[in-house]
Every structure is written in C-alpha cells, then in structure tokens.
Amino acid sequence: MTEPNHSLDPQDWSNLRAEGHRMLDDMLDYIEKIRERPVWQTIPDEIRSGFRQNLPQQPSDLAQIHQRFMQEVLPYAVGNSHPGFMGWVQGGGTPVGMLAEMLAAGLNANLGGRDQMPIEVEKQVTQWMRELFQFPESASGLFVTGTSIANFIAVLVARTKALGLASRRQGLAASPHKLVAYTSAGAHACVSQAIDMAGIGIDALRLISVDAKFAMNLDELEQRIAADRAAGYTPFLIAGTAGTVDVGAIDDLDALADIAQRHQLWFHIDGAYGALAMLSTSIAPRLKGIERADSIAFDFHKWAQVQYDAGYILVRDGQAHFDTFATPTSYLKRETRGIAAGERWPCDFGPDLSRGFRALKAWFTIQVYGAEQLGQMIAHTCELAQYLKARVEQEPQLELLAPVNLNIVCFRYRPLADAHIELSLDDLNRDIVFALHESGIAAPSTTSVNGVLAIRAALVNHRTTRLDIDRMIDATLRFGDQLLAF
Ligand SMILES: *Cc1c(COP(=O)(O)O)cnc(C)c1O
C-alpha cells in the first residue's frame, strides 16, 4: 500500500516553478514601472467586499490566486514605493531587498537561537552597527519589527538597570522608587506607549517643551529633573530624538549625553529614521553625541530602504540587555555541540522567541549598495528638501511652517490677501491633501505645527526626484486655486 501524500509541496514542480517565475517578473515589472502608476487610488467597494469571504475549504489554483493579488491587492497599496509618496516617514524598498526577502522565505529560518549561519548574518549586521555608531564590542543588537518595539525594549533595559534584577521577579509595585523619564514634546507617541507598556505609567513621562528649532529645551529638562528629585521621584531615563517625525528636528544629543551623565540617567535615542543618516558623511556631524547613547532605536525600513519590517535596537551594555530578557528554561537549554550549541541566543535579548530572518535583507542591502552609496542617497533626500523649501518660498501662495532640518518640509497653501475664503485655512489645506491623494499625483501627509495644519512632505524615497517635487507643488497650487474658486 502506498502512503497517502499529505505534503503541501506540489505534485508538479514544473508548473509551480513557471508560476513562480511569472510572479518574480510581475514584481520586477511593478518596481521598474512604478512611475507609470498613480501613487495611491481609492479601493473600489466591490474589491474590498471580495475580501470578506468565508474560510475556503477547497484548494484553488495558484495562478488564479496570483492574478487576484495582481488585480485586487497590488494596485491598492499605500504607494510608499512610488517616488511621489511623501507621507509620514516610509521607505521605498529596493529590488535587492525584495530578492533577499524571497531567499529568506525559501530558507524559512527561525532566528530565535541555535547554531546556524543566519544568526551569524544578524551578528555581522550588529558588528556593522557598532562600527557605525562607535559602540564597544560588548554592545548588543537585535532586529525587531520597528522602532516602536525597539524603544520599548530600551525602556525595559533601562528600567531593569535602574531598579535592579530583583525587579524582574517583584515587579514595579515592590519598588519604593517612583520612576520618571524625560523626552521632548516632539517625540513620537510610541515613546509614551513604551513607558505605558513597561508598567511605569504615561504620566511618568515628562514632556519637555521644544525651542525654535523644535529640539528639547535643555534648561527646562535640567529644572524638571531637579524638581522631580526634590519631590521624591527617581529619574531614570532621557529619550532624545534624532529626527522627529513631525519636522525632522534633532535634539542636542551631545548636551543630552552630558545631562544624562551628570544625573546618572539612561540615555536612549529614538533615531527611527534619523540615526542611519550616520551613513552620510555630510549629515553625520549633526548627530554628534549619538555615539554616547546607552541605546539607540532605529529602522532599516525607513531611510535605508530595506523592505518592511526591519527595526533595530542597539544597546551599549550588552550584559544589561541580556539580563533584562534572559529566561532559563529546560527546552531552550544550551549545549556545547550540535544544533543547540551557543551561549547567548537572540531570544535572550527581547520578548520574541520565534523570529524571522530580517537580517538577510538588511545584509544584502548594505552589501550590494555599500554604506557610501546609501549615505549619498540619504543626503540627496535632504537636498531635495532644500529644493522643495526653495520652491515653497518662491510661491506667494505657499508658506513655510517649520525650519527644514533634514528631509521634512512643512508648509501650507495660503490664499493671496484679497481672496475671499469660506473654509478655514486648516480645512482648505486638508482638502488639498485629500485631492492630492485621490489624484494619484503625490502623497504628502499632514501634521500640526504650532497649532496649525501643515502639509508635510517627508522625502524618504530614493526614487524621488526634483520632477516629483515640481509635480507635487504644481498640483498643490492647482487644487488650492480650484478649491478657492468654489
Ligand atoms: C517611524 C518612527 C517611529 C516608529 O517606528 P516604527 O518602525 O513605525 O515602529 C518612532 N519614532 C520616530 C521618530 C519615527 O519616525
């Protein structure tokens, strides 16, 4: 009697292989010809409702499902691969990163631990990051989903360092210390979320006001630390930002490092998108002080263009990082030989046990393009921001709303003095952004700067050129004029 075949591998490999090659070609075509597409388009109702079906009991043809993806999913993505995408802070991805993802998926490695080369690839990237940020050999690093989780890990390490290892058993409630932390009012919301998830409570995060350049006010920070100490609190963490999400401001990292040192606080940097500007020789000097941080959280999936998701946490004191998460268990016992060999595994440095091979796409990207080219690409997006700033300043109907620190430009449309407008300026600019999105021409986002709504263009995508900036500005003026004419 022959054994029934329950494997999910195909009966006919040649068919699957041919379909696989078509998929690869489809995606290479997609990236090569992305300019010919709209940045984004509204999802038709019938397509959305087609994705509310019951659990399929029977198999479907791979080619047919592939076609569904091509027609019903691919055209309705957010568009961050497109050169006209300037919303939020999102990377554009590269064909090299895409191919690396395919290789990683084929290997299907689990990077929680054990003796395998994929972990050596991740360690290689960690070594590069230590070099880039001038961290010591004893520093540890870990790929995670994104900076939100990387910031969370940093808060946990800082908390455990401040309260001692016993706090892992006893919890915060057993501690007489009332922990408090500091960040700027311009910090990303995930910093306060990290404080929340760590059980410290959002109120314990002191939001320090920002100066004219949107960097943390240092005098206020020092005063707040002193006042908190006097009131019986235990300051434990300063979280600086290298590239705020609203306007791209960089805190004075060197000064923050001094303050942290003087008060013996953990100095963390949220460098989600800005930290990798260290790759650019022209921008790196502006991040001075980053090499003094206790921990840095950042994303390869933003400015470095690595495919989603690829966040990263680098911790100077690798032992403190290990001590925060290491959890001895019999089924994860380390051996001296065989597959279970190795002393410290990635699962000892974060809450994830099963982990995908994120490191491979970062390793491929850095190897294939080289640090220098990546740095030049990053610097170029900052040059484009200066070009956009100049265009805004040239147009009487446009107004710049924040200094252009890096690659983010905040501006708004403002009717000429004699124009009569029914809408508030905020509503008018919001409508302009809706029109831009729905036209498929360009996709900036909005934010609030000093209480007014700003059109916010974050130039992150390596495919963006001056032509894309011109198209965005021309369309902004056109839609602004049209909306006024109503
Ligand atoms: C994007 C961003 C985050 C969040 O990072 P994720 O990778 O989306 O989790 C945090 N801080 C800043 C400054 C960011 O730009």
Side-chain angles (χ1 to χ4, degrees), residues 23 44 56 67 109 198-199 289 293 311 325 332 334 471:
M23 287 177 174
Q67 277 320 304
F325 293 99
L332 293 176
R334 315 302 148 91
R471 293 185 66 204

Side-chain angles (χ1 to χ4, degrees), residues 22 59 74 79 91-92 111 142 149 241 256 308 321 335 347 365 367 372 378 380-381 396 411 422 459 483:
R22 278 191 288 275
L74 176 141
L111 274 77
L142 191 76
I149 292 299
T241 306
L256 288 183
Y308 282 89
H321 188 184
E335 303 291 354
C347 66
T365 301
Q367 284 282 356
E372 204 174 290
I378 286 170
H380 177 67
T381 62
F411 65 100
E422 303 270 333
L459 304 166
L483 284 160

Side-chain angles (χ1 to χ4, degrees), residues 276-277 279-283 370-380:
L276 284 176
L279 291 164
S280 156
T281 46
S282 61
I283 304 175
E372 204 174 290
Q373 190 179 178
L374 292 173
Q376 286 163 356
M377 172 272 297
I378 286 170
H380 177 67

Side-chain angles (χ1 to χ4, degrees), residues 9 31 39 50 66 73 92 131 134 142 217 240 279 325 333 339 359 364 374 396 412 423 437 453:
D9 284 337
I31 301 175
V39 179
H66 172 200
V73 179
E131 183 183 330
Q134 298 167 48
L142 191 76
N217 265 318
L279 291 164
F325 293 99
K333 186 167 164 9
I339 295 174
F364 258 86
L374 292 173
R412 67 175 170 175
L423 290 167
H437 290 182
L453 184 124

Side-chain angles (χ1 to χ4, degrees), residues 8-34:
L8 298 176
D9 284 337
Q11 303 280 350
D12 175 3
W13 276 96
S14 64
N15 237 339
L16 182 113
R17 186 180 297 266
E19 196 59 38
H21 289 169
R22 278 191 288 275
M23 287 177 174
L24 184 57
D25 273 335
D26 277 349
M27 293 321 287
L28 291 171
D29 283 347
Y30 171 75
I31 301 175
E32 186 183 350
K33 299 185 186 133
I34 187 106

Side-chain angles (χ1 to χ4, degrees), residues 405-420:
N405 292 293
L406 287 171
N407 61 330
I408 297 180
V409 183
C410 291
F411 65 100
R412 67 175 170 175
Y413 178 92
R414 183 187 50 181
L416 298 174
D418 54 350
H420 167 77

Side-chain angles (χ1 to χ4, degrees), residues 88-90 144-151 186-191 241-246 270-274 297-302 308-312 408 456:
W88 303 275
V89 179
Q90 298 199 17
V144 292
T145 41
T147 291
S148 303
I149 292 299
N151 281 336
H188 196 277
C190 69
V191 175
T241 306
T244 62
V245 68
D246 274 343
D270 175 350
Y273 88 85
F298 60 92
D299 286 322
F300 286 98
H301 57 224
K302 288 179 171 168
Y308 282 89
D309 48 32
Y312 194 84
I408 297 180
R456 176 179 161 287

